[in-house]
Amino acid sequence: MNTNNKLQAVLFDVDGTLADTEQDGHRLAFNAAFQQFGLDWNWDIELYGELLQVTGGKERIRFYMEQYAPAMLNKSDLTVWIASLHKTKTSYFEALMEAGNIPLRPGVARLMQELRQEKIKIAIATTTTMENVTALLKSTLGEESIGWFDVIGAGDIVPLKKPAPDIYQWVLNQLNLAAHQCIAIEDSENGLKSALAAKLPTLITVSGYTRSQNFSGAITVLSDLGEPSQPFEEIKGTHSEKKWVDYKFLNDLISQ
Ligand code: XBP
Ligand code: MG
């Protein structure tokens, strides 16, 4: 561990932050599962943007049913049925990741590699399932990359999903670190609320669906993590001269 510096760990969100997985990943997987179950539901790009206000796939399916298919809520085995529909959706998502169609966002791989070199811990705090995290990491960074993470907090291991703080608190407990020694990287308002409720300083990189959300409370809001050859755009700036996020950038952010 690097004791000369304040930053001890970086906690990454997954969907929208590591990769733009929602529109052409999760959404397509949900629709494929609906088809397999003989449902005439189709989540188009716009509708899916509205449904994203609810985090968690099972929770999102139930929310959709409340709005668009309330009669089906009377199913006697509703919870089991939603879980099985969601399991099918997860299989389709894994297959989409294996096909390798969704790349990591700018700067993600570079920053993770640098943090590992600097002996800064890296962790994941996500609402999605462990299967999905594994499939994304494998297809983008290789099989061994799962082992790079000191902690992976995913899916149903906590009772309440984002915007509740549970998943970030769980990861902090596992890391045995205080929130002020860490930084969270998120892409959504629900994710920001969750991280802030766990008292984590939070950097936002906006994604397709989240650009116009409310990010008050974030330390800084950027287009992406940037690369030396592909600078980020500052949305709520730090006025840093450097236009890509690296270890020093993050350490300076939480030391201000
Ligand atoms: C993203 C989510 C997830 C995904 C779908 O959360 O809310 O529900 O949309 O994944 P985060 P599941 O950005 O915190 O990762 O169907 O596996 O829930
Ligand atoms: Mg996200």
Side-chain angles (χ1 to χ4, degrees):
M1 191 175 288
N2 195 326
T3 48
N4 296 322
N5 295 292
K6 190 169 174 185
L7 183 68
Q8 303 297 334
V10 179
L11 282 58
F12 290 90
D13 168 50
V14 174
D15 295 303
T17 299
L18 299 189
D20 236 320
T21 45
E22 293 292 6
Q23 181 180 308
D24 300 324
H26 290 294
R27 187 181 68 88
L28 301 183
F30 280 112
N31 284 334
F34 300 156
Q35 212 174 2
Q36 186 174 318
F37 271 57
L39 299 161
D40 63 354
W41 306 350
N42 178 55
W43 290 0
D44 66 24
I45 291 173
E46 197 188 334
L47 172 62
Y48 192 66
E50 290 164 28
L51 298 174
L52 277 175
Q53 67 185 278
V54 175
T55 59
K58 293 191 286 289
E59 294 80 355
R60 191 169 300 141
I61 291 168
R62 189 180 285 262
F63 175 72
Y64 172 82
M65 291 175 76
E66 286 163 3
Q67 321 278 316
Y68 298 95
M72 287 183 70
L73 292 167
N74 298 325
K75 273 177 158 305
S76 57
D77 58 346
L78 183 64
T79 304
V80 175
W81 182 81
I82 290 177
S84 136
L85 178 58
H86 186 250
K87 201 164 172 232
T88 302
K89 176 257 162 181
T90 297
S91 305
Y92 278 113
F93 184 84
E94 288 178 283
L96 281 169
M97 293 307 106
E98 269 165 37
N101 296 339
I102 309 249
L104 292 179
R105 297 190 61 198
V108 170
R110 172 190 52 75
L111 178 61
M112 283 178 180
Q113 265 140 15
E114 193 199 350
L115 293 169
R116 292 180 64 231
Q117 271 162 24
E118 296 287 342
K119 305 274 187 284
I120 304 297
K121 295 186 171 183
I122 56 175
I124 277 177
T126 180
T127 298
T128 199
T129 61
M130 184 63 101
E131 292 97 310
N132 291 349
V133 176
T134 307
L136 175 68
L137 292 177
K138 249 192 199 175
S139 81
T140 53
L141 293 167
E143 182 116 37
E144 72 288 353
S145 63
I146 324 291
W148 297 356
F149 295 87
D150 296 273
V151 177
I152 298 184
D156 295 325
I157 47 162
V158 288
L160 293 178
K161 293 195 170 141
K162 298 173 188 176
D166 302 31
I167 193 70
Y168 278 108
Q169 284 168 342
W170 187 89
V171 171
L172 284 171
N173 274 338
Q174 298 288 313
L175 286 168
N176 202 19
L177 290 171
H180 67 84
Q181 299 172 293
C182 305
I183 190 164
I185 304 187
E186 269 288 351
D187 74 303
S188 72
E189 187 175 345
N190 276 328
L192 173 64
K193 281 185 182 157
S194 171
L196 291 181
K199 304 202 164 34
L200 278 157
T202 306
L203 178 154
I204 298 290
T205 53
V206 295
S207 62
Y209 275 119
T210 69
R211 185 164 271 270
S212 59
Q213 292 182 347
N214 178 1
F215 292 120
S216 48
I219 325 184
T220 187
V221 182
L222 307 172
S223 57
D224 51 69
L225 294 173
E227 294 283 16
S229 60
Q230 191 187 333
F232 59 62
E233 176 202 328
E234 290 183 34
I235 297 168
K236 175 182 154 192
T238 53
H239 310 298
S240 146
E241 303 230 315
K242 192 186 282 166
K243 299 295 180 198
W244 66 93
V245 174
D246 60 6
Y247 158 65
K248 185 176 180 308
F249 184 102
L250 295 177
N251 192 54
D252 289 351
L253 264 189
I254 67 157
S255 307
Q256 282 167 12

